[in-house]
Amino acid sequence: MPRGSRSVPTRPPAQSADGSCSSLLFGGLSGLIGWVWEKAFGCLRRKNHKTSPSCSRSPQHPGLHRPTRLLTRVASATAPVQPEVEELEPTPSGPGQQVAEKNELGRLQYSLDYDFQTGQLLVGIVQAEGLAALDIGGSSDPYVRVYLLPDKRRRHETRVHRQTLNPHFGETFAFKVPYVELGGRILVMAVYDFDRFSRNDAIGEVRVPMSSVDLGRPVLAWRELQAAPREEEKLGDICFSLRYVPTAGKLTVIVLEAKNLKKMDVGGLSDPYVKVHLLQGGKKVRKKKTTIKKNTLNPYYNEAFSFEVPCDQVQKVQVELTVLDYDKLGKNEAIGRVAVGAAAGGAGLRHWADMLANPRRPIAQWHSLRPPDRVRPPPAP
């Protein structure tokens, strides 16, 4: 889908207006993430509706004897590594060259290591080359999603790299898995093209059966991307904006609209409404809800809800939005949920970071709904 966004210089943190509170916000934010995304422009305008904010759519194996250590960065893989078959092939003369001839999706370089002392598998996403161009301008905004099957809920995502087919990631993620259980796991590294205005598109993925990997020493390898299998049932998307005013300690959530919701009624439609929960320490402390929209899969709300959140607590809370289908006779059934906050991952973390980096401004974004039992982030420390 064509992009409707354009880059805008990131606004510097307010100093005199917010005082020590702004310093606390941005100091904690920079420790958690060192990046902020571009703003998206565009207005959601509907007939007979008000103008809404811009909406951007373990025991050590007896056969392995080596010092235990914990890699903190992929760049530390300068130590002797175990190459895989792909590593022995001639290296292209330049980024992206010769790759398209072999695989039009591109290829990914990654590293693997296991720390026996902490019982963690360390997965490094190093770089990618010759990725498929999914944007109209002939480029992509790639990022990588990493998880270990069969557990797809515990996943990590790299930062998004704008307008490039040859991104250098240099990020490492840890999965706490007993060594004796690794043989039954499959590592998935899926490359996506980020799109704030619609659903992120899958470029391709690499699957590595852990039973085929010798973790006696670090692994550094290139693998060709393969077409990703068909994803699970789509539940729909929701667009909402976040706004935080540090001086007032006020967090405002504006539920704008949803689209392509899952059909829940016999007639092929739904009666959707949205619950907005403020969570602290994993517990729901405040609750709001929108009006019910009858017989539609594409409801429009434009309803605002505010919560009091002191600036020293803003990185300890999460916001959870649940889309439900109203049933007059039976129990209201949840269609899907979205969580945002410092403890959330992927799009939920990116949206929260944008909000904190732009105090007093509403930041709108589309999110894909996830199954209700697989969305809630872990409690903030």
Side-chain angles (χ1 to χ4, degrees), residues 70 78 108 124 178 216 241 280 297 325:
L70 180 63
T78 53
L108 178 72
S241 76
Q280 187 168 18
L297 300 179
D325 174 42

Side-chain angles (χ1 to χ4, degrees), residues 89-104 106-107 127-131 165-166 222 224:
E89 298 178 354
T91 303
S93 57
Q97 296 181 11
Q98 300 180 13
V99 176
E101 298 178 2
K102 295 179 58 179
N103 190 324
E104 61 181 9
R107 64 175 189 163
Q127 61 181 317
E129 282 188 352
L131 296 179
L165 303 180
N166 306 286
W222 283 96
E224 303 291 336

Side-chain angles (χ1 to χ4, degrees), residues 120-143:
Q120 294 185 104
L121 174 67
L122 306 174
V123 181
I125 305 299
V126 184
Q127 61 181 317
E129 282 188 352
L131 296 179
L134 299 188
D135 296 346
I136 292 180
S139 188
S140 290
D141 301 323
Y143 71 96

Side-chain angles (χ1 to χ4, degrees), residues 152-203:
K152 198 173 181 180
R153 290 176 296 178
R154 296 170 52 194
R155 67 186 189 185
H156 300 282
E157 292 182 356
T158 68
R159 293 179 295 135
V160 176
H161 290 251
R162 299 288 179 174
Q163 298 181 354
T164 177
L165 303 180
N166 306 286
H168 289 261
F169 298 102
E171 298 185 48
T172 302
F173 306 104
F175 294 89
K176 193 170 184 61
V177 181
Y179 184 74
V180 293
E181 298 180 7
L182 268 179
R185 301 296 189 95
I186 298 177
L187 174 65
V188 180
M189 295 166 284
V191 183
Y192 285 84
D193 173 40
F194 175 75
D195 191 337
R196 185 184 291 274
F197 290 88
S198 63
R199 183 180 301 276
N200 301 335
D201 299 317
I203 297 177

